[in-house]
Amino acid sequence: MTPPRKRRRDGGQGAAVPAHNLPRRGAVRRAQAITTYGVGSLVAVDHESFVVSGLDEADRSWNSDESPRIYERRLARLLGVDYFRLPPASEDSSRDGLRVRRFPLMHSCPECAELQPHRLFNPPAGRSVCGTCEVDLVPSRFVVACEAGHLDEFPYWQWVHRSPDRGSTTAGHCGGSLRLRSSGRTSSLRSILVSCTCERAPEVSMEGSFRKSALKDLRLKCRGARPWLGTSAAPQECGLPLRTLQRGSSSVWQPVLKSALSIPPWSNGRGDPLAEHWDALRQFENREHVAIYLKGAFRGECPVALDEVMALLDAELEEDPGTDSAPTFDHRYRALRAKEYERLRSGNDESEHSREEQFVCETPLGDQGVLGPLGVTGPMLVKKLREVRALKAFTRLVDAESTTDTEEMPLSEGPLRWLPAMEVHGEGVFLRLDETRMGAWEKAPAVAARVERMRTAHQRLLEERADDPSRTVPSPATPRMVLLHTLAHVLINEWSLEAGYPSASLRERVYAADTMAGMLIYTATSDSAGSLGGLVAQGEPGSLDRTVRSALRRASWCSSDPLCMETDTSGVSGTNLAACHACVMLPETSCEHNNILLDRALLVGAPDDRSLGYFAPVLVE
C-alpha cells in the first residue's frame, strides 16, 4: 500500500476557499447511475469513498426537478410502478445531482497508522485529512456483506482480538486503539497488518479474512446494516453469514436491470396521462364504467380517446394468464418478451404512422430466398426503436441475473411509485431461424447431451451462490437458447466491422422459447447517434447472407484452437464450452447473459462430429 502524497494546509493569504462552502462533486454519466453507481453502490470520489443514498423522501437522493419522468407502460406494470425517472444530470446545470453518504466510516492515516472512524481524526470541515498529520485519509479497503443485500464495516476489533480457537474475545473493551500498516514485502493480504495498542493481542495480517467461513468462525452474523438509508433506517433482523469483500469488488453491488422495447400500442412518443389511473381502470369490466370513471377523474374530456383506452386495457389483459391465478413476475416478463417477438415478426410500417412513432419495423425489399440454405428466415429492419432500462433493485454476493425476490434489496425503505431508468433510442436487425430445421437439430442426442453439460454446470453454479438452494431459479440453457446466443455474439463481432459500430455499442436481445427462435441485434444510445442507418442496411437479405457466411467462417477457427474447441469446460465453473475471448465473447454491455452459455460447436460443429453444428452444411458448400 503506497501512501498518498501529503497535502499541507496553507495558512497564508493564498489559502483556498473552505471546502464546506462548496458542493462535494464527482462526475458520473447518467447511464452509470443505473448500471454502475446506482442506489446502494460504492463510488470513489478522488481519495474518498461514498455509498449512494436511497430513494426515500427523507433522503431526497434524487432532486425531482432534475429527474424528468419517462413512461413505458408495459415495463411499469411489470415492476409495479406508475412511471420512471431519469437520473439527475451531472452537467454544470445540475444544482443537486445524486446524494451520497460516507462509507466505509473506518479510515486509516498512512503517516500515524491510526485506524478508526473518520470523525475521530478531527478532519477540517469538508475535507478528509488527518487532523494531526494533515495527510489524506485512506478509506478501509475491506467491507462485509450478506446475500440479503446488507452492507457493513469490516470488524477489525474482532479480527485482532480473536482467540486461538478463532472466536472473538474482548473486542471493543480493551481500551486500546487500532493501527494499520503495510509491511511492503508483497502485495498480498499477508502484508496488511492490523494491531491494537492494548498489547493483549498480537499483530495479525488480513490473510484468511476472505475465507467463506472466516467471520462465521468469529461468531459474527449480519446485523442488517443499510448505510445507504442513513441513521433513520431501523436495523433489520438478518443473521445471515457475512463475507469479506474488497471495497471495489463487483460483488459488492450488482444491479437488477429490467428492460422493455416500446412497441404498439405504447409507442406513440407521448407521455402517459393515465399513469396514475391504470390500477383503477383495470377494475372495470365494461366500456360504460370506464367512461364514467374517466369523466370523473379528468372532470371533463379525457386526453386519451375512449377507444384507445379500451385497446390499451385489452393489450394488458393479453399479458395475464388465462386462469384465475394472479400473474407472477416471471410470467409477465415472459409475456412481455413474447409480445416483443410477435411485434418484431409482424412489423410496424413507418408510412402508416406519424413521425412520433417510436417503433418502426419493416420487411426488407430484397429476395429472402437467398437465406433459405442458411436456415435463416424472417429478417426485419428495425429502423427506429426505443428501449427503457429500469433499475429494479440490487444484490450483493449473488448473481443479479438469477435472483429471487428475497435476495434483492429494494432501492428504498418504503414503497415507491417510480424507479430510476434510462431511455435509449437506436436501430437494429431482427432475424429468426427456421423452426422446422431447428426442431430437428435440437432433438439430436449429441446436441442435447452437449447442452446438458452446460446446463448442469450452470445450475450447480446457481445453487452454490444461493443461500437456499431450494429457491434457485432453473438454468435457461437449452439447445435453442445456446445456439441463438452464440449466433448473436458472432454476428455482433461481424457487424462491428461491417457497420462501423464498436462491438460495445451493439446489444443482443435473444428470444428463445418453445414458440420463439429469434434475436434482435441493435444499437441504442441516449441520443440520436444510434439511428444513422448503418446497422439497418446490414439486414437486407443479400448483405445478411454474406454477413452470416463470413461470421461462420470466422467462428470455425479460433486463435486458441485446438484448446478452445476441444476443451471440456470453459468460462465460469464450466458454463461455456467452445467459447473464449479470442472468438465469441463480447464486452459486458453487449451480452444479456454475462458471457455464459456459449458454444461455437453448436454453430459450426466439432472436429470429431460436424453434425453438432446447425450451420455445418453451409460450411461444406
Side-chain angles (χ1 to χ4, degrees):
M1 294 172 58
T2 303
R5 178 178 55 87
K6 291 185 179 181
R7 284 171 39 187
R8 299 287 183 182
R9 286 181 290 182
D10 185 357
Q13 294 182 355
V17 178
H20 62 275
N21 291 338
L22 300 173
R24 303 298 302 278
R25 287 185 179 270
V28 299
R29 297 190 302 274
R30 246 182 174 162
Q32 288 181 306
I34 302 295
T35 59
T36 310
Y37 299 121
V39 171
S41 67
L42 296 182
V43 53
V45 180
D46 293 331
H47 58 278
E48 301 179 67
S49 175
F50 302 92
V51 61
V52 179
S53 297
L55 298 180
D56 292 286
E57 288 297 324
D59 293 318
R60 294 185 59 81
S61 178
W62 288 23
N63 188 331
S64 59
D65 295 335
E66 300 177 12
S67 305
R69 293 187 182 189
I70 58 175
Y71 296 94
E72 170 45 53
R73 180 57 200 161
R74 296 166 63 244
L75 187 61
R77 181 171 181 249
L78 173 74
L79 299 177
V81 296
D82 294 331
Y83 57 91
F84 303 98
R85 284 193 183 276
L86 290 173
S90 61
E91 291 82 6
D92 293 338
S93 59
S94 174
R95 299 186 303 274
D96 197 2
L98 295 176
R99 298 291 184 88
V100 297
R101 292 182 166 89
R102 189 181 298 281
F103 187 86
L105 297 180
M106 293 296 289
H107 284 60
S108 61
C109 174
E111 186 140 321
C112 65
E114 290 275 1
L115 174 64
Q116 59 189 4
H118 183 270
R119 60 181 175 80
L120 297 183
F121 284 99
N122 296 317
R127 301 180 64 191
S128 181
V129 298
C130 177
T132 303
C133 305
E134 300 180 4
V135 298
D136 292 335
L137 296 174
V138 180
S140 169
R141 281 178 53 185
F142 310 105
V143 296
V144 296
C146 77
E147 290 187 352
H150 299 115
L151 183 68
D152 210 344
E153 306 277 350
F154 182 81
Y156 288 102
W157 279 103
Q158 289 87 339
W159 186 251
V160 171
H161 293 86
R162 64 186 188 270
S163 61
D165 62 355
R166 310 296 292 180
S168 64
T169 56
T170 59
H173 304 286
C174 65
S177 58
L178 295 176
R179 298 284 190 272
L180 184 145
R181 69 181 184 90
S182 173
S183 68
R185 296 176 181 175
T186 68
S187 58
S188 66
L189 294 175
R190 182 179 300 178
S191 293
I192 302 175
L193 305 172
V194 186
S195 61
C196 181
T197 57
C198 71
E199 298 182 355
R200 297 181 184 177
E203 185 177 55
V204 298
S205 74
M206 293 297 295
E207 187 177 26
S209 59
F210 282 75
R211 289 187 304 106
K212 194 169 184 178
S213 61
L215 301 181
K216 182 179 179 181
D217 291 342
L218 298 182
R219 304 184 183 94
L220 296 177
K221 293 184 178 180
C222 179
R223 56 177 186 164
R226 295 173 293 170
W228 62 95
L229 298 180
T231 57
S232 60
Q236 294 181 330
E237 291 292 334
C238 183
L240 289 177
L242 289 168
R243 291 287 302 275
T244 303
L245 297 170
Q246 292 263 23
R247 176 163 47 90
S249 168
S250 60
S251 296
V252 171
W253 188 85
Q254 290 193 34
V256 180
L257 296 172
K258 299 298 178 183
S259 67
L261 302 180
S262 294
I263 60 174
W266 308 96
S267 57
N268 53 15
R270 70 183 182 202
D272 187 359
L274 304 179
E276 299 177 0
H277 301 281
W278 289 113
D279 289 340
L281 288 170
R282 283 197 298 270
Q283 308 302 317
F284 301 115
E285 298 181 356
N286 57 60
R287 183 186 182 95
E288 290 75 16
H289 290 165
V290 171
I292 293 172
Y293 174 85
L294 292 175
K295 184 175 181 181
F298 290 93
R299 299 181 181 178
E301 185 176 356
C302 177
V304 183
L306 182 58
D307 288 343
E308 186 175 354
V309 174
M310 298 306 298
L312 296 175
L313 287 172
D314 291 340
E316 285 195 350
L317 289 175
E318 291 179 4
E319 296 184 4
D320 288 340
T323 63
D324 295 334
S325 60
T328 64
F329 179 89
D330 289 340
H331 172 88
R332 280 183 168 166
Y333 194 61
R334 288 194 299 269
L336 181 148
R337 297 295 287 260
K339 286 296 179 184
E340 291 179 3
Y341 183 75
E342 292 175 12
R343 178 53 68 172
L344 287 165
R345 287 188 63 172
S346 60
N348 196 42
D349 199 312
E350 184 175 21
S351 62
E352 301 175 1
H353 301 279
S354 69
R355 294 182 61 185
E356 294 182 352
E357 176 64 39
Q358 295 178 330
F359 180 80
V360 176
C361 181
E362 299 178 349
T363 304
L365 300 177
D367 179 17
Q368 298 186 25
V370 298
L371 300 175
L374 293 176
V376 175
T377 186
M380 299 293 287
L381 309 181
V382 187
K383 296 184 176 180
K384 194 175 180 181
L385 64 82
R386 171 181 180 259
E387 181 191 21
V388 175
R389 305 171 190 162
L391 177 62
K392 177 192 175 194
F394 64 87
T395 67
R396 306 194 197 278
L397 299 172
V398 179
D399 183 4
E401 294 296 322
S402 56
T403 61
T404 61
D405 288 340
T406 57
E407 296 168 325
E408 295 176 356
M409 178 60 70
L411 307 182
S412 66
E413 189 170 15
L416 284 175
R417 299 310 302 164
W418 61 276
L419 286 173
M422 284 292 298
E423 62 175 349
V424 293
H425 302 269
E427 61 179 358
V429 175
F430 173 75
L431 59 89
R432 295 180 287 124
L433 298 184
D434 182 87
E435 296 198 15
T436 302
R437 179 168 163 180
M438 168 75 74
W441 171 83
E442 63 188 354
K443 291 178 182 176
V447 171
R450 190 171 178 91
V451 175
E452 179 62 21
R453 288 162 55 191
M454 302 170 65
R455 191 204 66 78
T456 301
H458 188 217
Q459 194 66 45
R460 186 187 309 115
L461 177 65
L462 295 177
E463 292 173 358
E464 289 175 355
R465 292 180 174 179
D467 182 55
D468 184 357
S470 64
R471 296 202 307 266
T472 304
V473 296
S475 169
T478 63
R480 180 174 303 205
M481 181 268 171
V482 177
L483 174 66
L484 287 165
H485 188 206
T486 310
L487 177 61
H489 277 230
V490 300
L491 286 178
I492 286 176
N493 281 328
E494 192 71 21
W495 274 332
S496 69
L497 301 175
E498 297 291 334
Y501 290 105
S503 58
S505 68
L506 298 177
R507 294 171 62 88
E508 66 176 3
R509 204 165 177 86
V510 178
Y511 300 90
D514 293 340
T515 57
M516 298 189 294
M519 70 185 74
L520 171 67
I521 297 176
Y522 63 103
T523 176
T525 66
S526 55
D527 56 26
S528 61
S531 303
L532 302 178
L535 184 58
V536 166
Q538 304 300 317
E540 290 292 342
S543 296
L544 187 57
D545 177 64
R546 292 191 298 271
T547 298
V548 172
R549 291 178 183 273
S550 176
L552 292 174
R553 285 194 295 270
R554 291 180 191 273
S556 64
W557 179 253
C558 170
S559 60
S560 296
D561 279 341
L563 179 63
C564 177
M565 179 61 78
E566 297 178 2
T567 184
D568 291 332
T569 60
S570 178
V572 180
S573 299
T575 51
N576 289 334
L577 288 178
C580 71
H581 287 285
C583 51
V584 301
M585 287 191 177
L586 292 175
E588 291 182 0
T589 56
S590 301
C591 181
E592 279 192 306
H593 300 285
N594 293 329
N595 275 324
I596 64 172
L597 304 180
L598 296 166
D599 184 13
R600 280 188 301 128
L602 298 186
L603 291 179
V604 299
D608 58 344
D609 187 359
R610 290 294 178 186
S611 65
L612 283 173
Y614 177 86
F615 295 100
V618 178
L619 297 174
V620 176
E621 296 176 2

